[in-house]
Amino acid sequence: MLETLDAAAVRRWCASGLAALRRHQGEIDELNVYPVPDGDTGTNLVLTLTSAQQALAMDLGTLPDDGHTAHGHALRLMARGALLGARGNSGVIVSQILRGLADTLAAAPAVGGRQLADALADATTAAYAAVARPVEGTLLSVVAAAAHAARLADSDDLRTVARAAAEAAAHALARTPEQLPELARAGVVDAGGRGLCLLLDALVEVVTGESPAQPAPAPPTRRPPATAVRESGSDVYAYEVQYLLDADDEAVARLRAELAVLGDSLAIVGDGAGTWNVHVHVNDVGAAIEAGVVAGRPHRIGVTRFADQTAPAPALQVARPDGRAAVVVATGAGIAELFAAEGAVVVPANPSTGELLNAIRATGAARVVVLPNDPNTQSVASAAAKEAYGLGVKVSVVPTRSPVQALAALAVRDPKRRFEDDVIAMAEAAGACRYAEVCHAAREALTVAGPARAGDVLALVEGEVHLIGQDLTDTCIAVVDRMLGGGGELVTLLCGADAPAGLADRVREHVERAWPFVEVQAYEGGQPHYPLLVGVE
């Protein structure tokens, strides 16, 4: 049993936590009950902690030269590795929890119960700060309960506080369905919170030498049909938009009212000479920037995930100080080829923060735009952008949610424009491109379009199930008709790896008959899970 958390214990905790996540990886992935086959919270947490362990392994016993203790140095390495390896929103939030622990404990001469309680409180603050509008019933509720119990334990004994935190986290996890209706309807607990409980259990085991004895949330005997939000849940304002604006007082007053509707954390301050600093947290980045364009002249635009300020890093030697580049996340060989033909640097799907940062650095450009093409990758892209800023590279994330939006954005790039104006144009083009995905239901679910059974064909428009069918081609045609009913001049079709031969041709022929003034472009995308991706501009 340990009286204090030393560097060796930190390493054992990381290894034990990673092992636990690997054992329960499939279980946590399954907690994402959205009917499309993309539940990957468990996988993302495993990859995040793998990166943390690799960071520790690359620094075997090196004495810190920053005045911190050996255990503080190990915690900082673990947190830094987790940040660079973070995948998905849960991975990003866990990396912030680890950073909060490291920041508090780095200079502490010894880590006893009260120090751990203080660190968990700071970790909770960091986790909530990583989300612009926190939602209870998630990983945030679980870490908050752990921190509260640790403080109530009021003990110098490390074992007592660690046990109290883990037990409270388990009980908070069991309560998540009471706080989040989507979880209640699905009959499951929060996936990210389940992962955090495993990490706290691993800490108890390292500190006490015993397995924790708190009750685990019992899974239901039968999973009722349900639908749940994806990990990137739309009820969180996920982006921080900030820019300087040249405008008059009257225009700023109108802008303030418009941005207040779009998001929160709104702050607009002026210098008294017509220049304003605009800051807001939103989901619709394009609308926030466009509102600035209407109000005046925005410049020095930044779009990032709201997170703790990272420690400054050495400036990057930029090979092309005046150069620009685009980094795009792609799933499927055909899609990757399309992006490469547009001059973009392509990163494989579900990248870590570090992989995206490496791609940004590899461009050698001083100004880079990142197109994540997936809601679950946007927070990772924003974390990479924040890291790149510390290296002297200006990065803007255009929050594309589908490859068809990225194609629309890349099509309007113009190197003759100012970089900030080019980002606005790309964001506007992406926002004007409506997108749909067609796939087969991975499980039974109750959707807004009605009940779906495993194997049914689902057509999702803007991430929401709109149609449920039995025939793939008929459903693809139906969803294109539904989208064109709202207007459109260009349809882009990306056929997936599992698409039957001739699918794009049959959709094209239908559009030519039913919508004679609409142009159709079809490509072999090669993406998994989705036989067809559709874009309408």
Side-chain angles (χ1 to χ4, degrees), residues 133 237 255-264 266 280-282:
R133 195 177 70 186
Y237 290 119
L255 174 66
R256 193 186 304 274
E258 184 171 351
L259 292 183
V261 174
L262 288 176
D264 63 6
L266 175 62
V280 66
H281 296 159
V282 296

Side-chain angles (χ1 to χ4, degrees), residues 67-73 75-76 101-109:
H68 293 140
T69 59
H71 67 261
H73 182 60
L75 284 166
R76 284 192 178 279
L101 290 171
D103 287 347
T104 302
L105 299 175

Side-chain angles (χ1 to χ4, degrees), residues 74-108:
L75 284 166
R76 284 192 178 279
L77 288 172
M78 183 177 174
R80 176 71 175 171
L83 174 65
L84 294 180
R87 283 173 163 84
N89 287 348
S90 289
V92 171
I93 293 173
V94 166
S95 75
Q96 294 306 301
I97 290 172
L98 294 175
R99 170 167 286 180
L101 290 171
D103 287 347
T104 302
L105 299 175

Side-chain angles (χ1 to χ4, degrees), residues 3 31 95 124 128 158 161 270 279 292-293 324 330 341 418 461 466:
E3 299 293 337
L31 292 178
S95 75
T124 300
Y128 274 81
L158 180 62
V161 173
H279 172 279
V293 174
R324 301 185 191 177
R418 294 171 59 250
V461 179
H466 276 224

Side-chain angles (χ1 to χ4, degrees), residues 238-242 302-307 382-383 385-386 389 395 397:
Y239 307 101
E240 177 189 61
V241 177
Q242 191 163 6
V303 180
T304 62
R305 175 78 179 188
F306 185 77
S382 295
K386 189 173 287 290
Y389 274 123
V395 179
V397 178

Side-chain angles (χ1 to χ4, degrees), residues 243-246 289 292-293 296-301 418 421 424:
Y243 49 82
L244 296 181
L245 178 70
D246 296 334
I289 296 175
V293 174
R297 186 180 74 87
H299 50 102
R300 289 180 60 182
I301 299 170
R418 294 171 59 250
D421 295 335
I424 293 172

